[in-house]
Amino acid sequence: MGSPEDEPDRLGDEGPQHQVTLASYWMGKYPVTQAEYEAVMGENPSHFKADHHPVESLLWDEVMEFCRRLSTLKGTTYRLPSEAEWEYACRAGTTTPFSFGCRITQELANYNHYYGKPGNPQVPRNQTTPVDQFQPNAFGLHDMHGNVWEWCLDQWHDNYQGAPTDGRAWLEQGDSPRRVLRGGAWYSRPQYCRSASRNMLHLPRYRNNGLGFRVIGELP
């Protein structure tokens, strides 16, 4: 887990690299879509309205309530992933900056490819895209890079010194009002969509059209 010190665009909060052992789990093939969210919650707060796009513009409490209701409906525990579970799923066995290699392109993910490139003939998308628009990684998971930031359970820590090695969410001795975000969004620079890139935000009191989530189903 984490990035090597020579990875381009690496930041200090991505290290030190360390070994983690995970229990088995199921992870959603896509970020939760607007149709899925509305089926459980009866409403859709998203800014970019489309059933097959990821749900966004959610408050943290709404994400937690979705997981609670889905767990009740299905009789299985559904929750946000830990940061370790998220990165393992994103990498899908790779050690490169992205699960598809060393470079990201507009054909591979939805991100802000236009940033810092005056005269770029490609037109920025400027919004979310359908969750199955791009090819999945080797684990069959779509949109692990870009489209919407994905919430993790963990409190924010400035690096991995003292991080758990068993894959659980790190909920002690961190910045408890801030939680980890992973994967980048439609408006993110390429470097923030890397497998090891980390971000955080105060538990939201406002709606952001680049914040979504993906759920884990715990195995019996």
Side-chain angles (χ1 to χ4, degrees), residues 14 16 26 29 41 45 50 56 58 63 68 87 90 97 108 113 126-127 137 143 162 176 185-186 193 195-196 208:
E14 298 169 21
W26 294 107
K29 183 176 182 178
M41 302 294 285
E56 28 83 3
L58 294 171
V63 174
R68 188 192 69 78
E87 185 169 326
C90 177
L108 295 171
H113 66 278
N126 289 330
Q127 64 174 38
N137 67 14
D143 273 359
S176 58
W186 59 268
C193 300
S195 298
N208 180 313

PDB file of all heavy atoms in Angstrom, residues 14 16 26 29 41 45 50 56 58 63 68 87 90 97 108 113 126-127 137 143 162 176 185-186 193 195-196 208:
ATOM      1  N   GLU A  14       1.588   9.660   0.893  1.00  0.00           N
ATOM      2  CA  GLU A  14       1.397   8.356   0.259  1.00  0.00           C
ATOM      3  C   GLU A  14       2.373   7.305   0.776  1.00  0.00           C
ATOM      4  O   GLU A  14       2.461   6.197   0.216  1.00  0.00           O
ATOM      5  CB  GLU A  14       1.537   8.490  -1.260  1.00  0.00           C
ATOM      6  CG  GLU A  14       0.505   9.410  -1.884  1.00  0.00           C
ATOM      7  CD  GLU A  14       0.810   9.737  -3.336  1.00  0.00           C
ATOM      8  OE1 GLU A  14       1.565   8.959  -3.982  1.00  0.00           O
ATOM      9  OE2 GLU A  14       0.325  10.763  -3.839  1.00  0.00           O
ATOM     10  N   PRO A  16       4.929   5.811   4.415  1.00  0.00           N
ATOM     11  CA  PRO A  16       5.771   4.844   3.704  1.00  0.00           C
ATOM     12  C   PRO A  16       4.959   3.672   3.157  1.00  0.00           C
ATOM     13  O   PRO A  16       3.913   3.314   3.715  1.00  0.00           O
ATOM     14  CB  PRO A  16       6.739   4.367   4.785  1.00  0.00           C
ATOM     15  CG  PRO A  16       5.972   4.528   6.061  1.00  0.00           C
ATOM     16  CD  PRO A  16       5.112   5.748   5.883  1.00  0.00           C
ATOM     17  N   TRP A  26     -16.553  -8.274  -0.811  1.00  0.00           N
ATOM     18  CA  TRP A  26     -17.116  -7.918  -2.112  1.00  0.00           C
ATOM     19  C   TRP A  26     -17.096  -6.398  -2.244  1.00  0.00           C
ATOM     20  O   TRP A  26     -17.382  -5.694  -1.286  1.00  0.00           O
ATOM     21  CB  TRP A  26     -18.565  -8.398  -2.229  1.00  0.00           C
ATOM     22  CG  TRP A  26     -18.741  -9.882  -2.241  1.00  0.00           C
ATOM     23  CD1 TRP A  26     -19.235 -10.662  -1.235  1.00  0.00           C
ATOM     24  CD2 TRP A  26     -18.456 -10.769  -3.328  1.00  0.00           C
ATOM     25  NE1 TRP A  26     -19.270 -11.979  -1.617  1.00  0.00           N
ATOM     26  CE2 TRP A  26     -18.796 -12.081  -2.895  1.00  0.00           C
ATOM     27  CE3 TRP A  26     -17.931 -10.588  -4.614  1.00  0.00           C
ATOM     28  CZ2 TRP A  26     -18.632 -13.205  -3.713  1.00  0.00           C
ATOM     29  CZ3 TRP A  26     -17.776 -11.712  -5.423  1.00  0.00           C
ATOM     30  CH2 TRP A  26     -18.119 -12.991  -4.982  1.00  0.00           C
ATOM     31  N   LYS A  29     -19.141  -3.094  -8.280  1.00  0.00           N
ATOM     32  CA  LYS A  29     -18.529  -2.998  -9.607  1.00  0.00           C
ATOM     33  C   LYS A  29     -18.423  -1.548 -10.064  1.00  0.00           C
ATOM     34  O   LYS A  29     -17.489  -1.181 -10.771  1.00  0.00           O
ATOM     35  CB  LYS A  29     -19.388  -3.804 -10.588  1.00  0.00           C
ATOM     36  CG  LYS A  29     -18.867  -3.880 -12.006  1.00  0.00           C
ATOM     37  CD  LYS A  29     -19.766  -4.786 -12.841  1.00  0.00           C
ATOM     38  CE  LYS A  29     -19.248  -4.928 -14.273  1.00  0.00           C
ATOM     39  NZ  LYS A  29     -20.101  -5.842 -15.066  1.00  0.00           N
ATOM     40  N   MET A  41     -33.274   5.208  -1.256  1.00  0.00           N
ATOM     41  CA  MET A  41     -33.528   6.403  -0.443  1.00  0.00           C
ATOM     42  C   MET A  41     -34.771   7.189  -0.852  1.00  0.00           C
ATOM     43  O   MET A  41     -35.236   8.067  -0.119  1.00  0.00           O
ATOM     44  CB  MET A  41     -32.311   7.331  -0.493  1.00  0.00           C
ATOM     45  CG  MET A  41     -31.021   6.684  -0.004  1.00  0.00           C
ATOM     46  SD  MET A  41     -31.068   6.280   1.749  1.00  0.00           S
ATOM     47  CE  MET A  41     -30.882   7.919   2.468  1.00  0.00           C
ATOM     48  N   PRO A  45     -30.214  13.661  -4.928  1.00  0.00           N
ATOM     49  CA  PRO A  45     -29.736  15.036  -4.801  1.00  0.00           C
ATOM     50  C   PRO A  45     -28.708  15.443  -5.857  1.00  0.00           C
ATOM     51  O   PRO A  45     -28.201  16.558  -5.818  1.00  0.00           O
ATOM     52  CB  PRO A  45     -29.084  15.032  -3.418  1.00  0.00           C
ATOM     53  CG  PRO A  45     -28.535  13.657  -3.289  1.00  0.00           C
ATOM     54  CD  PRO A  45     -29.538  12.761  -3.979  1.00  0.00           C
ATOM     55  N   ALA A  50     -28.809  11.801 -14.110  1.00  0.00           N
ATOM     56  CA  ALA A  50     -28.842  10.709 -15.086  1.00  0.00           C
ATOM     57  C   ALA A  50     -28.770   9.403 -14.304  1.00  0.00           C
ATOM     58  O   ALA A  50     -27.875   9.229 -13.472  1.00  0.00           O
ATOM     59  CB  ALA A  50     -27.682  10.796 -16.082  1.00  0.00           C
ATOM     60  N   GLU A  56     -24.000  11.854  -6.676  1.00  0.00           N
ATOM     61  CA  GLU A  56     -23.045  12.816  -6.111  1.00  0.00           C
ATOM     62  C   GLU A  56     -23.830  13.898  -5.362  1.00  0.00           C
ATOM     63  O   GLU A  56     -25.047  13.821  -5.252  1.00  0.00           O
ATOM     64  CB  GLU A  56     -22.109  13.404  -7.175  1.00  0.00           C
ATOM     65  CG  GLU A  56     -22.646  13.466  -8.593  1.00  0.00           C
ATOM     66  CD  GLU A  56     -23.527  14.675  -8.878  1.00  0.00           C
ATOM     67  OE1 GLU A  56     -23.692  15.534  -7.986  1.00  0.00           O
ATOM     68  OE2 GLU A  56     -24.060  14.754  -9.991  1.00  0.00           O
ATOM     69  N   LEU A  58     -23.765  14.428  -2.171  1.00  0.00           N
ATOM     70  CA  LEU A  58     -24.307  13.845  -0.953  1.00  0.00           C
ATOM     71  C   LEU A  58     -23.612  14.380   0.283  1.00  0.00           C
ATOM     72  O   LEU A  58     -22.429  14.729   0.244  1.00  0.00           O
ATOM     73  CB  LEU A  58     -24.125  12.324  -0.973  1.00  0.00           C
ATOM     74  CG  LEU A  58     -24.899  11.541  -2.032  1.00  0.00           C
ATOM     75  CD1 LEU A  58     -24.421  10.096  -2.040  1.00  0.00           C
ATOM     76  CD2 LEU A  58     -26.385  11.606  -1.766  1.00  0.00           C
ATOM     77  N   VAL A  63     -24.785   9.249   3.092  1.00  0.00           N
ATOM     78  CA  VAL A  63     -24.052   8.050   2.674  1.00  0.00           C
ATOM     79  C   VAL A  63     -24.170   6.961   3.738  1.00  0.00           C
ATOM     80  O   VAL A  63     -24.430   5.789   3.440  1.00  0.00           O
ATOM     81  CB  VAL A  63     -22.570   8.385   2.417  1.00  0.00           C
ATOM     82  CG1 VAL A  63     -21.766   7.123   2.137  1.00  0.00           C
ATOM     83  CG2 VAL A  63     -22.435   9.360   1.248  1.00  0.00           C
ATOM     84  N   ARG A  68     -26.858   1.878   5.800  1.00  0.00           N
ATOM     85  CA  ARG A  68     -27.698   1.261   6.830  1.00  0.00           C
ATOM     86  C   ARG A  68     -28.969   0.672   6.213  1.00  0.00           C
ATOM     87  O   ARG A  68     -29.344  -0.470   6.496  1.00  0.00           O
ATOM     88  CB  ARG A  68     -28.070   2.297   7.892  1.00  0.00           C
ATOM     89  CG  ARG A  68     -28.783   1.704   9.103  1.00  0.00           C
ATOM     90  CD  ARG A  68     -29.401   2.774   9.984  1.00  0.00           C
ATOM     91  NE  ARG A  68     -30.531   3.446   9.339  1.00  0.00           N
ATOM     92  CZ  ARG A  68     -31.756   2.914   9.247  1.00  0.00           C
ATOM     93  NH1 ARG A  68     -32.009   1.701   9.740  1.00  0.00           N
ATOM     94  NH2 ARG A  68     -32.724   3.586   8.661  1.00  0.00           N
ATOM     95  N   GLU A  87      -7.619   0.851  -1.958  1.00  0.00           N
ATOM     96  CA  GLU A  87      -6.415   0.854  -2.801  1.00  0.00           C
ATOM     97  C   GLU A  87      -6.126  -0.528  -3.381  1.00  0.00           C
ATOM     98  O   GLU A  87      -5.721  -0.647  -4.541  1.00  0.00           O
ATOM     99  CB  GLU A  87      -5.206   1.360  -2.024  1.00  0.00           C
ATOM    100  CG  GLU A  87      -3.972   1.479  -2.914  1.00  0.00           C
ATOM    101  CD  GLU A  87      -2.807   2.211  -2.269  1.00  0.00           C
ATOM    102  OE1 GLU A  87      -3.042   3.150  -1.476  1.00  0.00           O
ATOM    103  OE2 GLU A  87      -1.649   1.848  -2.575  1.00  0.00           O
ATOM    104  N   CYS A  90      -8.457  -0.927  -6.252  1.00  0.00           N
ATOM    105  CA  CYS A  90      -8.085  -0.051  -7.355  1.00  0.00           C
ATOM    106  C   CYS A  90      -6.892  -0.601  -8.121  1.00  0.00           C
ATOM    107  O   CYS A  90      -6.888  -0.649  -9.346  1.00  0.00           O
ATOM    108  CB  CYS A  90      -7.771   1.348  -6.820  1.00  0.00           C
ATOM    109  SG  CYS A  90      -7.218   2.513  -8.093  1.00  0.00           S
ATOM    110  N   PRO A  97       1.424   3.619 -11.460  1.00  0.00           N
ATOM    111  CA  PRO A  97       0.615   4.729 -10.936  1.00  0.00           C
ATOM    112  C   PRO A  97      -0.886   4.558 -11.146  1.00  0.00           C
ATOM    113  O   PRO A  97      -1.688   5.001 -10.321  1.00  0.00           O
ATOM    114  CB  PRO A  97       1.154   5.944 -11.691  1.00  0.00           C
ATOM    115  CG  PRO A  97       2.575   5.595 -11.999  1.00  0.00           C
ATOM    116  CD  PRO A  97       2.553   4.121 -12.285  1.00  0.00           C
ATOM    117  N   LEU A 108      -9.419   6.488 -21.200  1.00  0.00           N
ATOM    118  CA  LEU A 108      -9.357   5.529 -20.107  1.00  0.00           C
ATOM    119  C   LEU A 108     -10.148   5.948 -18.876  1.00  0.00           C
ATOM    120  O   LEU A 108     -10.509   5.098 -18.061  1.00  0.00           O
ATOM    121  CB  LEU A 108      -7.896   5.297 -19.699  1.00  0.00           C
ATOM    122  CG  LEU A 108      -6.992   4.648 -20.749  1.00  0.00           C
ATOM    123  CD1 LEU A 108      -5.541   4.690 -20.300  1.00  0.00           C
ATOM    124  CD2 LEU A 108      -7.435   3.211 -20.998  1.00  0.00           C
ATOM    125  N   HIS A 113      -8.419  16.362 -18.174  1.00  0.00           N
ATOM    126  CA  HIS A 113      -7.248  16.237 -19.055  1.00  0.00           C
ATOM    127  C   HIS A 113      -6.831  17.579 -19.637  1.00  0.00           C
ATOM    128  O   HIS A 113      -5.719  17.742 -20.119  1.00  0.00           O
ATOM    129  CB  HIS A 113      -7.564  15.277 -20.196  1.00  0.00           C
ATOM    130  CG  HIS A 113      -8.631  15.790 -21.125  1.00  0.00           C
ATOM    131  ND1 HIS A 113      -9.974  15.675 -20.841  1.00  0.00           N
ATOM    132  CD2 HIS A 113      -8.541  16.443 -22.295  1.00  0.00           C
ATOM    133  CE1 HIS A 113     -10.676  16.232 -21.814  1.00  0.00           C
ATOM    134  NE2 HIS A 113      -9.834  16.712 -22.712  1.00  0.00           N
ATOM    135  N   ASN A 126     -16.440  18.148 -18.357  1.00  0.00           N
ATOM    136  CA  ASN A 126     -17.051  19.088 -17.404  1.00  0.00           C
ATOM    137  C   ASN A 126     -18.250  18.520 -16.662  1.00  0.00           C
ATOM    138  O   ASN A 126     -19.110  19.273 -16.205  1.00  0.00           O
ATOM    139  CB  ASN A 126     -17.451  20.393 -18.115  1.00  0.00           C
ATOM    140  CG  ASN A 126     -16.230  21.212 -18.511  1.00  0.00           C
ATOM    141  OD1 ASN A 126     -15.199  21.164 -17.841  1.00  0.00           O
ATOM    142  ND2 ASN A 126     -16.351  21.942 -19.593  1.00  0.00           N
ATOM    143  N   GLN A 127     -18.312  17.209 -16.517  1.00  0.00           N
ATOM    144  CA  GLN A 127     -19.390  16.595 -15.764  1.00  0.00           C
ATOM    145  C   GLN A 127     -19.069  15.119 -15.574  1.00  0.00           C
ATOM    146  O   GLN A 127     -18.109  14.600 -16.117  1.00  0.00           O
ATOM    147  CB  GLN A 127     -20.732  16.726 -16.478  1.00  0.00           C
ATOM    148  CG  GLN A 127     -20.812  15.993 -17.806  1.00  0.00           C
ATOM    149  CD  GLN A 127     -22.215  16.048 -18.385  1.00  0.00           C
ATOM    150  OE1 GLN A 127     -22.905  17.058 -18.290  1.00  0.00           O
ATOM    151  NE2 GLN A 127     -22.641  14.951 -18.972  1.00  0.00           N
ATOM    152  N   ASN A 137     -10.892  -2.365 -14.464  1.00  0.00           N
ATOM    153  CA  ASN A 137      -9.556  -2.869 -14.169  1.00  0.00           C
ATOM    154  C   ASN A 137      -9.578  -4.395 -14.166  1.00  0.00           C
ATOM    155  O   ASN A 137     -10.595  -5.021 -14.480  1.00  0.00           O
ATOM    156  CB  ASN A 137      -9.023  -2.284 -12.855  1.00  0.00           C
ATOM    157  CG  ASN A 137      -9.789  -2.748 -11.616  1.00  0.00           C
ATOM    158  OD1 ASN A 137     -10.559  -3.704 -11.654  1.00  0.00           O
ATOM    159  ND2 ASN A 137      -9.568  -2.077 -10.503  1.00  0.00           N
ATOM    160  N   ASP A 143     -14.359   2.773 -13.064  1.00  0.00           N
ATOM    161  CA  ASP A 143     -14.290   4.136 -12.514  1.00  0.00           C
ATOM    162  C   ASP A 143     -13.501   4.244 -11.211  1.00  0.00           C
ATOM    163  O   ASP A 143     -13.789   5.099 -10.376  1.00  0.00           O
ATOM    164  CB  ASP A 143     -15.708   4.697 -12.289  1.00  0.00           C
ATOM    165  CG  ASP A 143     -16.274   5.366 -13.527  1.00  0.00           C
ATOM    166  OD1 ASP A 143     -15.565   5.421 -14.550  1.00  0.00           O
ATOM    167  OD2 ASP A 143     -17.415   5.845 -13.482  1.00  0.00           O
ATOM    168  N   GLY A 162       2.341   4.032  11.538  1.00  0.00           N
ATOM    169  CA  GLY A 162       1.427   3.474  12.524  1.00  0.00           C
ATOM    170  C   GLY A 162       0.110   2.984  11.966  1.00  0.00           C
ATOM    171  O   GLY A 162      -0.796   2.646  12.741  1.00  0.00           O
ATOM    172  N   SER A 176     -10.239  13.475  13.171  1.00  0.00           N
ATOM    173  CA  SER A 176     -11.536  12.812  13.108  1.00  0.00           C
ATOM    174  C   SER A 176     -12.608  13.564  12.319  1.00  0.00           C
ATOM    175  O   SER A 176     -13.493  12.927  11.738  1.00  0.00           O
ATOM    176  CB  SER A 176     -12.052  12.498  14.518  1.00  0.00           C
ATOM    177  OG  SER A 176     -12.154  13.666  15.291  1.00  0.00           O
ATOM    178  N   ALA A 185     -11.758  12.902  -9.417  1.00  0.00           N
ATOM    179  CA  ALA A 185     -13.091  13.189  -9.949  1.00  0.00           C
ATOM    180  C   ALA A 185     -12.985  13.745 -11.362  1.00  0.00           C
ATOM    181  O   ALA A 185     -11.895  13.919 -11.903  1.00  0.00           O
ATOM    182  CB  ALA A 185     -13.816  14.190  -9.037  1.00  0.00           C
ATOM    183  N   TRP A 186     -14.135  14.051 -11.931  1.00  0.00           N
ATOM    184  CA  TRP A 186     -14.176  14.573 -13.304  1.00  0.00           C
ATOM    185  C   TRP A 186     -13.417  15.879 -13.440  1.00  0.00           C
ATOM    186  O   TRP A 186     -12.952  16.229 -14.520  1.00  0.00           O
ATOM    187  CB  TRP A 186     -15.625  14.741 -13.761  1.00  0.00           C
ATOM    188  CG  TRP A 186     -16.444  15.678 -12.906  1.00  0.00           C
ATOM    189  CD1 TRP A 186     -17.202  15.337 -11.834  1.00  0.00           C
ATOM    190  CD2 TRP A 186     -16.577  17.100 -13.062  1.00  0.00           C
ATOM    191  NE1 TRP A 186     -17.806  16.459 -11.290  1.00  0.00           N
ATOM    192  CE2 TRP A 186     -17.441  17.556 -12.030  1.00  0.00           C
ATOM    193  CE3 TRP A 186     -16.054  18.031 -13.958  1.00  0.00           C
ATOM    194  CZ2 TRP A 186     -17.788  18.892 -11.889  1.00  0.00           C
ATOM    195  CZ3 TRP A 186     -16.398  19.364 -13.814  1.00  0.00           C
ATOM    196  CH2 TRP A 186     -17.256  19.787 -12.790  1.00  0.00           C
ATOM    197  N   CYS A 193      -5.632  11.251  -9.672  1.00  0.00           N
ATOM    198  CA  CYS A 193      -6.389  10.041 -10.011  1.00  0.00           C
ATOM    199  C   CYS A 193      -5.544   8.773  -9.885  1.00  0.00           C
ATOM    200  O   CYS A 193      -6.022   7.678 -10.199  1.00  0.00           O
ATOM    201  CB  CYS A 193      -6.950  10.143 -11.427  1.00  0.00           C
ATOM    202  SG  CYS A 193      -8.075  11.529 -11.689  1.00  0.00           S
ATOM    203  N   SER A 195      -3.519   5.531  -8.299  1.00  0.00           N
ATOM    204  CA  SER A 195      -3.964   4.520  -7.339  1.00  0.00           C
ATOM    205  C   SER A 195      -3.597   4.881  -5.903  1.00  0.00           C
ATOM    206  O   SER A 195      -4.336   4.573  -4.969  1.00  0.00           O
ATOM    207  CB  SER A 195      -3.363   3.155  -7.685  1.00  0.00           C
ATOM    208  OG  SER A 195      -3.780   2.713  -8.947  1.00  0.00           O
ATOM    209  N   ALA A 196      -2.442   5.521  -5.707  1.00  0.00           N
ATOM    210  CA  ALA A 196      -1.954   5.819  -4.362  1.00  0.00           C
ATOM    211  C   ALA A 196      -2.330   7.218  -3.880  1.00  0.00           C
ATOM    212  O   ALA A 196      -2.101   7.545  -2.714  1.00  0.00           O
ATOM    213  CB  ALA A 196      -0.433   5.660  -4.304  1.00  0.00           C
ATOM    214  N   ASN A 208     -21.183  18.699  -2.991  1.00  0.00           N
ATOM    215  CA  ASN A 208     -20.129  18.823  -3.992  1.00  0.00           C
ATOM    216  C   ASN A 208     -20.414  17.816  -5.092  1.00  0.00           C
ATOM    217  O   ASN A 208     -20.572  16.623  -4.826  1.00  0.00           O
ATOM    218  CB  ASN A 208     -18.773  18.542  -3.323  1.00  0.00           C
ATOM    219  CG  ASN A 208     -17.602  18.655  -4.280  1.00  0.00           C
ATOM    220  OD1 ASN A 208     -17.634  18.127  -5.385  1.00  0.00           O
ATOM    221  ND2 ASN A 208     -16.550  19.322  -3.835  1.00  0.00           N
TER     222      ASN A 208
END
